[in-house]
Amino acid sequence: MPTPVSVFGADLDPDIRRFIRETGAAYGDHPPFDSLTPEEMRAVCEIVRAPWRQGGPVMARTEDFDLDGMRVRLLDPTPSREPKPALVYIHGGGWMLFSIDTHDRLVREYAARAGVIVIAMDYSYAPAAKFPVALDQVVETVRWAHDRAATLGIDPDRIAIGGDSVGGNMSVAAALKLRDAGDGGLLKGLMLHYGAFDDDSAPEDHIRYGGEGYMLSSAEMVMFWENYLTDDTERQNPLAVPMRADVSGLPPAFFTIPECDVLHGQSVAMAEKFRAAGVPARSEIYQGASHSFLEAMSISPLAERAIAEGADWLKTQFARQGVSA
C-alpha cells in the first residue's frame, strides 16, 4: 500500500475543514484510540459526536424497539398515520463504532425532508461479532419492517435501505441477499453515502486522502476490515466485499460521493458497476467534501445540499412506485 501523504488544507471546503478540526480536537481530549478497548472507543465516539446530533427536525413519533436484543428506532416526521414510505438506515463506524444516537440528527433530516419513516438500527459490533452477523441483522430488520408494516405505519411496497460508510456496504449486501433469496422486490431503492464497497482503495486515494486531516485514514480502514472479517478468504465473498458482486437486479441507487475521501474511487467504481449491470444509479460528487461530511449539516451548506439532494431522490423514487411520498 502506498504511504499516505497528508495534504490538509486547500482542497477541503472551509466548513468541512472546520468540522474535521473541531472533531479532531474533541478526540484529542481523550486517550489515543490504540490504547482503548473497543467499548472505550465507542464511549468516546458518543461524547465527541454528541454536539453534531443536536437541533434539526422534531419528529411526531419516535419509538425504540428490541429486535432479538438489537435496538431499533422508528422516526416518523408527521402525525398522519396514513402509511408512509420507509428508509431502513444503517449507520457507519467501521462495523465497530457509532450508533443510532450519533446519527440521530442525520436520520431525522432524511425523515423530515423525504417525508418517510426512518428505521434506524444498532447492529452487533466487531470484533466481537464478525461477518456476517451484522449483515444478517440488517436483513432481519428489513424483513421486520416489511412484515410489521401495518402496525408501524409503513407502506410495505415502498421500503428503501441506505447508510453511510460500512452502512453503505451492508445496504448493498443486504439487497444482494434479499435478491438471491427471491425477495429483491422488498427494496425499492438504495441510498449509499461514501460506502466501503471494496477492501482496498485506489492508490491515488490512499496517497492523497489516506493520511491525517481527511476524517478517515487508510490505516483505520485496514483496522476495520481486519476486525470485521474472520480470515482473508472472506475478502472474496461478495456479501462482505460488494465490489466483487454481480449487482444486476438490484434496486436503483443514489451515491453520495465526497471528493476528498480515501473511499472516493470505490463509490465511483460501484456506481459505474451498477450502470453497467443495467441498474439505474445517480452519483453526485461533492467537491471539497470529506468522509462523514453529512454530519456537518449544522454548519455546512455543502452537507445540507447533499442531504437535500438525497432526500429529493428518495421522494422521487418512491413516487415512481405509484403514490407520492
Side-chain angles (χ1 to χ4, degrees), residues 57 77 105 108-116 304 307-308 311-312 315:
R105 170 76 184 268
R108 284 187 285 116
E109 291 286 349
Y110 281 118
R113 292 168 184 264
V116 302
E304 200 280 339
I307 292 170
D312 287 346
K315 289 177 68 174

Side-chain angles (χ1 to χ4, degrees), residues 171-214:
S171 294
V172 174
L176 290 167
K177 285 202 74 169
L178 289 166
R179 179 201 65 185
D180 294 346
D183 292 326
L186 293 184
L187 295 174
K188 298 303 190 293
L190 292 163
M191 288 193 66
L192 307 171
H193 309 314
Y194 29 87
F197 302 120
D198 207 343
D199 61 337
D200 200 4
S201 294
E204 58 269 27
D205 288 336
H206 281 302
I207 292 169
R208 188 165 183 182
Y209 303 120
E212 295 181 1
Y214 290 100

Side-chain angles (χ1 to χ4, degrees), residues 39 125-130 227:
E39 294 77 14
Y125 295 111
K130 298 282 191 178
N227 278 288

Side-chain angles (χ1 to χ4, degrees), residues 2-323:
T3 300
V5 178
S6 177
V7 192
F8 184 67
D11 50 359
L12 283 165
D13 175 89
D15 297 312
I16 302 303
R17 187 185 306 122
R18 174 188 163 191
F19 168 65
I20 295 173
R21 284 180 170 154
E22 291 185 6
T23 303
Y27 279 118
D29 293 335
H30 300 274
F33 263 29
D34 58 11
S35 70
L36 302 178
T37 65
E39 294 77 14
E40 291 169 335
M41 291 180 186
R42 288 193 283 274
V44 169
C45 288
E46 295 292 327
I47 294 169
V48 170
R49 288 302 214 257
W52 302 99
R53 58 169 288 193
Q54 304 304 314
V58 175
M59 298 290 99
R61 178 169 57 121
T62 301
E63 297 183 61
D64 281 5
F65 299 86
D66 184 305
L67 183 58
D68 296 330
M70 177 177 58
R71 185 172 58 147
V72 174
R73 178 172 296 162
L74 179 149
L75 302 103
D76 188 343
T78 62
S80 168
R81 293 305 294 259
E82 289 294 317
K84 296 183 180 70
L87 170 67
V88 177
Y89 195 87
I90 319 302
H91 68 78
W95 298 287
M96 294 178 61
L97 309 172
F98 303 158
S99 69
I100 57 178
D101 294 323
T102 60
H103 284 59
D104 180 70
R105 170 76 184 268
L106 183 59
V107 295
R108 284 187 285 116
E109 291 286 349
Y110 281 118
R113 292 168 184 264
V116 302
I117 287 175
V118 172
I119 302 292
M121 58 170 290
D122 272 341
Y123 46 85
S124 296
Y125 295 111
K130 298 282 191 178
F131 169 82
V133 173
L135 172 59
D136 290 344
Q137 291 173 330
V138 172
V139 174
E140 179 186 6
T141 302
V142 172
R143 293 190 185 279
W144 174 82
H146 179 269
D147 294 345
R148 292 201 54 194
T151 57
L152 296 174
I154 291 172
D155 179 347
D157 296 322
R158 293 187 293 163
I159 298 175
I161 192 171
D164 55 281
S165 196
V166 303
N169 170 297
M170 290 192 287
S171 294
V172 174
L176 290 167
K177 285 202 74 169
L178 289 166
R179 179 201 65 185
D180 294 346
D183 292 326
L186 293 184
L187 295 174
K188 298 303 190 293
L190 292 163
M191 288 193 66
L192 307 171
H193 309 314
Y194 29 87
F197 302 120
D198 207 343
D199 61 337
D200 200 4
S201 294
E204 58 269 27
D205 288 336
H206 281 302
I207 292 169
R208 188 165 183 182
Y209 303 120
E212 295 181 1
Y214 290 100
M215 207 59 169
L216 175 68
S217 71
S218 298
E220 286 174 317
M221 281 309 306
V222 169
M223 176 188 70
F224 291 147
W225 278 107
E226 289 179 348
N227 278 288
Y228 182 52
L229 302 178
T230 301
D231 57 58
D232 280 348
T233 63
E234 291 178 337
R235 295 176 185 270
Q236 303 309 311
N237 189 330
L239 297 180
V241 184
M243 194 63 75
R244 291 172 171 74
D246 170 10
V247 299
S248 59
L250 293 191
F254 181 96
F255 290 83
T256 302
I257 308 175
E259 174 197 18
C260 306
D261 182 9
V262 71
L263 303 183
H264 170 89
Q266 297 187 20
S267 286
V268 172
M270 184 59 91
E272 292 172 350
K273 187 180 184 74
F274 270 55
R275 288 189 280 264
V279 180
R282 175 179 167 185
S283 53
E284 295 290 342
I285 297 176
Y286 295 92
Q287 303 297 321
S290 71
H291 198 80
S292 296
F293 81 107
L294 296 179
E295 295 173 57
M297 69 200 82
S298 60
I299 63 169
S300 167
L302 181 62
E304 200 280 339
R305 175 167 66 86
I307 292 170
E309 289 177 345
D312 287 346
W313 176 87
L314 190 61
K315 289 177 68 174
T316 300
Q317 188 60 35
F318 283 137
R320 287 174 178 160
Q321 308 309 312
V323 183

